[in-house]
Amino acid sequence: DVKVTQSSRYLVKRTGEKVFLECVQDMDHENMFWYRQDPGLGLRLIYFSYDVKMKEKGDIPEGYSVSREKKERFSLILESASTNQTSMYLCASRAHSHAEAFFGQGTRLTVV
Amino acid sequence: EDQVTQSPEALRLQEGESSSLNCSYTVSGLRGLFWYRQDPGKGPEFLFTLYSAGEEKEKERLKATLTKKESFLHITAPKPEDSATYLCAVQAGTASKLTFGTGTRLQVTL
């Protein structure tokens, strides 16, 4: 079974802090994604990566950056956390562009 | 811009009462349509992929169908454990990303 593991289930951070969310997949997938999920808005794509050191902006990249130094690991960085970044963050990976995506368990981030 | 609309937003069924969830989409060049189930506080769990109009997939009490404009997730004789949010997503053109709808929240009661 594919396993996508996010480093934290719950996080509470202060406004202005730099926040790192980590995601690791164990199936050698090429593509990795970061989404945020908010009530009434569904899942919105923040960034994705199709290879090591490669990244592309999704629909809502402002206030975020990403890092993919190794194939199995994709990190989401909130440069200066703000209260409007309080959300559920979901990491996903896909073997290739025709395959289904597998999701991690999510990180519920609260910025106070 | 790719758009995915799911209806209804919420659905309450009694155990055994069959129904359908709808996912309508507007995309340029559909490459695949995906159905996921999401339980509260958890990540989405993959159910089905459909690639072309007329295709159908089944798994236990669930059956997914696809036309050129929409997909249906049919739930036959649901049980309380089918209660969850069901998400639909599309992939279009050459992009790798999936565009999601906002989901249908299903509650099945005894």
Side-chain angles (χ1 to χ4, degrees):
Chain A
D1 278 356
V2 174
K3 193 161 185 184
V4 180
T5 304
Q6 295 183 228
S7 53
S8 305
R9 289 295 304 274
Y10 302 95
L11 274 179
V12 180
K13 296 292 181 181
R14 295 195 178 277
T15 301
E17 276 193 78
K18 191 168 186 176
V19 181
F20 293 85
L21 303 183
E22 307 284 344
C23 175
V24 177
Q25 50 96 359
D26 65 357
M27 285 299 292
D28 203 35
H29 285 177
E30 296 175 359
N31 301 316
M32 296 188 74
F33 306 81
W34 276 106
Y35 288 87
R36 64 177 282 177
Q37 185 175 31
D38 301 288
L41 297 176
L43 276 79
R44 293 178 291 165
L45 182 64
I46 304 171
Y47 267 97
F48 66 101
S49 169
Y50 52 89
D51 202 351
V52 175
K53 297 192 185 295
M54 306 302 290
K55 61 184 179 184
E56 284 202 28
K57 293 180 180 179
D59 300 316
I60 51 164
E62 297 79 17
Y64 303 94
S65 63
V66 290
S67 172
R68 193 164 180 203
E69 296 296 318
K70 293 184 178 181
K71 192 173 187 179
E72 68 270 19
R73 187 179 296 269
F74 192 35
S75 303
L76 180 69
I77 304 153
L78 285 65
E79 298 290 343
S80 177
S82 64
T83 54
N84 63 12
Q85 293 177 310
T86 292
S87 187
M88 169 72 106
Y89 289 87
L90 290 160
C91 174
S93 72
R94 298 175 81 184
H96 51 75
S97 61
H98 296 284
E100 65 270 27
F102 293 89
F103 284 83
Q105 76 276 29
T107 297
R108 170 86 52 197
L109 173 67
T110 302
V111 183
V112 298
Chain B
E1 185 180 324
D2 302 336
Q3 288 195 333
V4 181
T5 303
Q6 292 188 246
S7 62
E9 284 187 22
L11 181 62
R12 187 178 173 126
L13 299 173
Q14 286 199 316
E15 185 174 16
E17 181 186 0
S18 301
S19 188
S20 297
L21 313 183
N22 178 262
C23 171
S24 62
Y25 60 89
T26 306
V27 299
S28 298
L30 181 72
R31 299 290 295 278
L33 185 141
F34 301 81
W35 281 99
Y36 286 84
R37 169 195 170 122
Q38 186 176 26
D39 293 304
K42 296 189 176 181
E45 177 186 341
F46 171 73
L47 292 173
F48 303 110
T49 309
L50 301 166
Y51 292 105
S52 56
E55 191 174 358
E56 299 181 352
K57 294 267 179 79
E58 282 190 70
K59 180 180 179 180
E60 296 180 356
R61 295 177 292 282
L62 300 177
K63 179 179 177 181
T65 62
L66 181 65
T67 73
K68 288 186 178 179
K69 293 184 178 180
E70 59 193 348
S71 177
F72 291 94
L73 185 65
H74 307 278
I75 303 177
T76 303
K79 298 182 177 182
E81 53 262 41
D82 295 322
S83 297
T85 295
Y86 290 85
L87 300 169
C88 168
V90 297
Q91 179 182 354
T94 57
S96 299
K97 69 173 189 175
L98 298 180
T99 299
F100 281 82
T102 53
T104 293
R105 203 167 54 251
L106 174 66
Q107 184 180 12
V108 182
T109 59
L110 292 170

